[in-house]
């Protein structure tokens, strides 16, 4: 193949809503066809659950492909890595007999230090308690402060730096020089824990344990591609949380759409072929921010209980809403989605009717387009289409034809609404509770 020719054998899996769409299961299902699974954004704010046999695994940093031993699991340069969390996951998987020898981390990925987590919590608390401003509702994993430090440049630590005591000490000293006064004001109780020598020792200890996994992953990925291999890019968080294209400021701090793949992995966009967008059959959101179709009634409670809609990372109850086709169309366009996986369809069984939001009105005007600005999105009114629900339990369905006609009508309404086919449908948490369809709109 010519240098840089499109490698359409590679693929991205991205969340099309506000996260928790069930991407982990889709990645795990697709993984056997790929040589490497690549995380390119976010950090331990993400929570991926994968059910293998009778066991449920919750991962935050390690790519969901780790259960497929032939795959290399790559944590790319765009990820912010909490090494303590990474080691906990590696140890936990090893204890349960999962082979983690293929997990590698970019030397250019930035390190989440303890002071980033302290700052994350302190800022959120200060916003609410001292300044009377709505908090972002972060996961408290230090994501925003770690990305901010990366962009500041003078005091950040990258994974490759963990192998060099002088660099670590200089960076910790610089970071604490800047943060000390700020934390003294906003989190004085935490400051005693952030002592230079112990921070340096902690970081160097991580470096010693992770040294063999730290590598130039961009070169590794290009070599796989040049050898005819295929990459699967696993988006963390989701499109509507993208720092540039999501519902700012109620977003995460990275490009969590497929647009983040280039900068977050070192692989250029033309080498990503298919983009599988993952969307729940309804909408959920954790943390603050607008959500036009939110249901604050018993319907929402019922979906929350049936769907076990509690955060994998924080345990917070998720906010629930009807499926928002306006937001979905936006996410499909932004990511270049070629096909959709609809997850958790089984959760909607038992409702007499189901609603889909097909348009908005904003200040009395009809709107077909999504409004990523949080303040404006807060004011839109959803316009619904109501379609008949299905009473049957569908968790045992294994083919599209085995679904009730009303469930199929719901899927086909989604396809017409966004213009791309739904090729996978989740009817339960297990690997095999997934229906595969042809890649055509209205296909079998
Ligand atoms: P942060 O990423 O911890 O800074 O949190 C920013 C916002 O993104 C908060 O509303 C979080 O709840 C949300 N968020 C971040 N990652 C995820 C995710 O993987 N699933 C769902 N929400 C997320």
């Amino acid at each position: 193949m010519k240098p840089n020719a499109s490698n359409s054998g590679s693929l991205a899996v991205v969340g099309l809503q506000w996260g928790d769409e069930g991407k982990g299961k889709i990645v795990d299902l697709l993984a056997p066809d790929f040589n490497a699974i690549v995380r390119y954004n976010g950090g331990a704010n993400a929570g991926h659950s994968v059910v293998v046999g009778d066991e449920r695994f919750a991962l935050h940093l390690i790519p969901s492909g780790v259960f497929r031993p032939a795959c290399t699991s790559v944590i790319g340069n765009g990820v912010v890595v909490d090494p303590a969390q990474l080691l906990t996951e590696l140890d936990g998987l090893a204890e349960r007999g999962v082979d983690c020898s293929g997990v590698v981390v970019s030397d250019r990925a930035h390190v989440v230090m303890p002071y980033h987590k302290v700052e994350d919590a302190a800022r959120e608390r200060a916003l609410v308690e001292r300044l009377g401003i709505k908090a972002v509702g972060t996961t408290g994993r230090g994501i925003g402060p770690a990305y901010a430090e990366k962009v500041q440049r003078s005091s950040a630590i990258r994974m490759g730096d963990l192998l060099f005591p002088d660099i670590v000490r200089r960076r910790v000293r610089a970071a604490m020089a800047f943060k000390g006064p700020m934390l003294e004001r906003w989190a004085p109780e935490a400051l005693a824990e952030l002592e230079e020598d112990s921070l340096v020792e902690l970081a160097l200890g991580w470096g010693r344990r992770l040294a063999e996994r730290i590598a130039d992953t961009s070169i590794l990925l290009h070599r796989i591609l040049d050898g005819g291999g295929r990459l699967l890019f696993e988006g963390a968080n989701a499109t509507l949380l993208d720092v540039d294209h999501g519902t700012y400021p109620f977003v995460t701090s990275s490009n969590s759409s497929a647009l983040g793949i280039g900068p977050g992995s070192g692989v250029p966009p033309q080498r990503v072929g298919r983009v599988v967008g993952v969307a729940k059959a309804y909408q959920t959101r954790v943390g603050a921010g607008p959500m036009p179709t939110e249901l604050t009634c018993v319907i929402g409670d019922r979906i929350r209980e049936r769907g076990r809609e509690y955060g994998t990372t924080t345990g917070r109850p998720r906010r629930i809403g009807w499926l928002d086709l306006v937001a979905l169309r936006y996410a499909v366009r932004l990511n270049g989605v070629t096909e959709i996986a609809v997850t958790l369809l089984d959760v909607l069984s038992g409702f007499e009717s189901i609603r889909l939001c097909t348009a908005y009105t904003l200040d009395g005007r009809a709107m077909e387009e999504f409004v990523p600005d949080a303040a404006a999105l807060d004011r839109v009114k959803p316009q619904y289409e109501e379609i008949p629900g299905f009473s049957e339990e569908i968790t045992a369905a294994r083919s599209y034809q085995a679904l009730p006609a009303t469930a199929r009508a719901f899927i086909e309404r989604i396809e017409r609404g966004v213009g791309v086919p739904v090729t996978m449908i989740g009817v339960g948490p297990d690997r095999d509770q997934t229906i595969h369809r042809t890649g055509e709109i209205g296909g079998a």
Side-chain angles (χ1 to χ4, degrees), residues 187-210:
E189 72 293 345
L191 211 50
E193 305 288 309
L194 300 174
E195 191 268 317
E196 181 181 309
D197 283 344
S198 13
L199 288 167
V200 170
E201 209 26 66
L202 183 70
L204 295 176
W206 292 332
R208 283 191 291 276
R209 282 205 59 200
L210 291 166

Side-chain angles (χ1 to χ4, degrees), residues 18-21 23 42-48 120 124 135-145 147 236-238 241 249-254 284-289 311-314 316 318-319:
W18 280 290
D20 313 307
E21 294 91 349
K23 297 176 290 284
N45 52 353
H48 291 174
D120 194 356
E124 289 278 279
V136 177
T138 72
T139 59
R141 300 296 181 111
I143 305 298
Y147 277 117
N237 327 124
L241 293 170
F250 301 103
V251 292
T252 189
S253 304
S254 66
T284 64
R285 177 161 205 167
V286 222
T312 321
T313 303
T314 57
R316 292 180 285 182
R318 296 180 184 141
R319 299 157 63 193

Side-chain angles (χ1 to χ4, degrees), residues 18 240 247 283 290-294 322-331 356-373 376-384:
W18 280 290
L240 303 180
T247 50
Q283 219 68 27
M291 181 178 182
T293 64
E294 184 165 12
W322 292 118
L323 185 64
D324 185 341
L325 283 182
V326 182
L328 197 59
R329 244 188 332 261
Y330 170 76
L356 300 103
C357 166
T358 53
Y360 298 151
T361 54
L362 175 60
D363 304 333
R365 276 181 306 114
M367 305 269 310
E368 295 275 314
E369 294 290 341
F370 187 66
V371 198
D373 176 70
L377 192 64
D378 229 359
R379 298 202 312 277
V380 305
K381 301 261 178 301
Q383 305 301 304
Y384 288 111

Side-chain angles (χ1 to χ4, degrees), residues 244-328:
D244 284 292
H245 300 284
T247 50
Y248 193 89
F250 301 103
V251 292
T252 189
S253 304
S254 66
N255 286 119
S256 45
S257 62
L259 300 174
I261 292 174
S265 69
V267 175
Q270 73 268 34
R271 304 202 81 167
V272 183
R274 291 158 59 200
V275 179
V276 179
V278 188
K280 286 182 187 183
Y282 46 92
Q283 219 68 27
T284 64
R285 177 161 205 167
V286 222
M291 181 178 182
T293 64
E294 184 165 12
L295 288 162
T296 49
C297 60
V298 286
I299 299 177
D301 295 343
R302 187 157 149 214
I303 293 176
R304 182 178 303 106
E305 292 316 310
R306 276 186 67 88
R308 292 201 270 168
E309 294 291 359
Y310 294 88
T312 321
T313 303
T314 57
R316 292 180 285 182
R318 296 180 184 141
R319 299 157 63 193
I320 310 286
W322 292 118
L323 185 64
D324 185 341
L325 283 182
V326 182
L328 197 59

